[in-house]
Amino acid sequence: MTASALNLRPISGSIGAEISNVDLSQPLGNAEQDAIHDALLDKHVLVFRGQELTPQKQVDIARLFGQPAIYPFLKGLDGTPEVNELLKTEEDEINFGGSWHSDTAYKARPDMGTLLYALEVPDAGGDTLFANMQRAYEALSNGMKEMLDELIAVYSSEKGYGGNRAAHMKSLDGLKSAVPTNIESFESEHPVVRTHPSTGRKSLYVSRSHTLRFKNMTEAESAPLINYLSDFATRPEFTCRLRWEPKTLAIWDNRCTNHFAISDYAGKRRQMHRVTIEGDRPI
Ligand code: SIN
């Protein structure tokens, strides 16, 4: 099977595709795996509907891309610690992932990809937005690109949480079962423009959620440019919007995308299973 043998329908002009002729509950042949890898490099977000996946199966699919990671701020499911349950109940007011970010950008080796599987979703709302950070980088002026190419930034797991992130996450009703590990926070330095290890394409690696400041600059000095780049990268023409159904699996490449879980379903439940995949040090 080649990438063109996948039944693939783009979600928007810049990012994302739905694949309708793959059953992920069955073993995949090498050609099928290669085609999915190629499609992920090209589209950055892949969506598979109607998938019957146990937590173990979701971990097995993650293994096709790399080593499943243990998320540091939540306890995983019993038996499959790589799987985190993201449950927003009728009572919860805040959701998980409700701001633009790339998963675990604050780690020295941020997770390269994420698999999110929908178990229960509201009849409307709870969509996820994705932004193509390669397209965003490429659309900047040459002068801005040259300046950013030299910049290093500091990424923090505490930004936006006012410290003690683990306790904040415990306050989400649906995450009350979460038992934070003894790791309280992460801070790492990465290039603001990272190069994709498989395609060689450059992308912006910035977000309001996790980019604390530029190296050797204060937070106040850094904020205007971080905010400008975050807004620029999430212009509609760089994005797509995923509407979830139960049994939808999405896989995305954190090395060249940002995403945002929309919290617009107050009083309703949304239950997801999430697995991330270990990545490399950004270069
Ligand atoms: C996340 O930020 O990884 C979760 C996204 C979502 O729940 O839509």
Side-chain angles (χ1 to χ4, degrees):
M1 185 181 234
T2 61
S4 59
L6 290 174
N7 194 347
L8 184 147
R9 191 166 66 94
I11 301 175
S12 79
S14 58
I15 181 170
E18 293 208 14
I19 294 177
S20 57
N21 60 340
V22 173
D23 180 355
L24 293 167
S25 68
Q26 301 301 315
L28 300 179
N30 288 342
E32 218 167 359
Q33 288 180 34
D34 289 348
I36 292 171
H37 277 112
D38 289 350
L40 186 64
L41 292 178
D42 187 34
K43 297 292 179 187
H44 313 316
V45 181
L46 300 181
V47 176
F48 304 83
R49 304 279 183 191
Q51 303 291 323
E52 297 282 352
L53 301 181
T54 61
Q56 184 56 57
K57 192 69 207 176
Q58 191 175 346
V59 174
D60 293 344
I61 297 165
R63 272 191 217 290
L64 301 177
F65 299 89
Q67 178 65 33
I70 299 291
Y71 184 64
F73 296 109
L74 300 174
K75 183 176 179 298
L77 298 183
D78 288 343
T80 46
E82 306 90 341
V83 181
N84 289 119
E85 172 145 302
L86 309 183
L87 172 63
K88 184 171 183 296
T89 68
E90 292 87 337
E91 287 78 38
D92 287 322
E93 287 175 7
I94 30 178
N95 69 332
F96 182 94
S99 59
W100 283 106
H101 65 284
S102 174
D103 288 327
T104 65
Y106 42 77
K107 294 199 321 193
R109 290 180 166 74
D111 296 333
M112 58 80 70
T114 301
L115 289 82
L116 192 64
Y117 181 59
L119 295 160
E120 186 180 351
V121 295
D123 51 0
D127 298 351
T128 305
L129 302 171
F130 293 93
N132 182 336
M133 303 300 278
Q134 289 177 348
R135 286 274 180 103
Y137 173 76
E138 287 159 9
L140 291 167
S141 67
N142 287 338
M144 179 64 99
K145 283 185 200 154
E146 276 167 29
M147 184 181 77
L148 296 180
D149 283 348
E150 304 301 316
L151 273 185
I152 302 290
V154 178
Y155 300 74
S156 166
S157 60
E158 295 303 294
K159 188 174 180 197
Y161 290 92
N164 202 357
R165 177 181 218 262
H168 176 93
M169 296 191 110
K170 257 189 123 180
S171 72
L172 297 171
D173 277 355
L175 300 174
K176 282 240 168 74
S177 60
V179 178
T181 64
N182 55 6
I183 299 171
E184 301 252 310
S185 68
F186 289 81
E187 205 168 276
S188 300
E189 291 181 3
H190 301 304
V192 169
V193 177
R194 69 180 290 186
T195 303
H196 198 288
S198 301
T199 64
R201 284 179 70 182
K202 289 180 173 182
S203 62
L204 273 178
Y205 196 58
V206 172
S207 74
R208 269 200 171 81
S209 302
H210 296 320
T211 313
L212 184 65
R213 59 182 174 82
F214 300 111
K215 189 174 177 182
N216 300 326
M217 289 172 67
T218 66
E219 288 181 42
E221 288 166 341
S222 308
L225 184 54
I226 292 171
N227 292 341
Y228 172 77
L229 294 172
S230 304
D231 290 343
F232 181 80
T234 55
R235 277 165 47 163
E237 63 265 36
F238 305 133
T239 70
C240 74
R241 180 171 184 141
L242 170 56
R243 180 152 196 195
W244 296 93
E245 298 162 0
K247 301 184 185 172
T248 299
L249 178 80
I251 305 175
W252 65 82
D253 187 336
N254 281 308
R255 298 167 294 190
C256 54
T257 63
N258 277 2
H259 59 279
F260 185 121
I262 303 175
S263 182
D264 59 351
Y265 52 104
K268 306 218 172 112
R269 281 168 64 88
R270 181 177 185 267
Q271 184 187 15
M272 317 290 276
H273 279 173
R274 178 179 182 265
V275 176
T276 58
I277 307 156
E278 287 180 2
D280 300 326
R281 184 179 284 279
I283 51 166

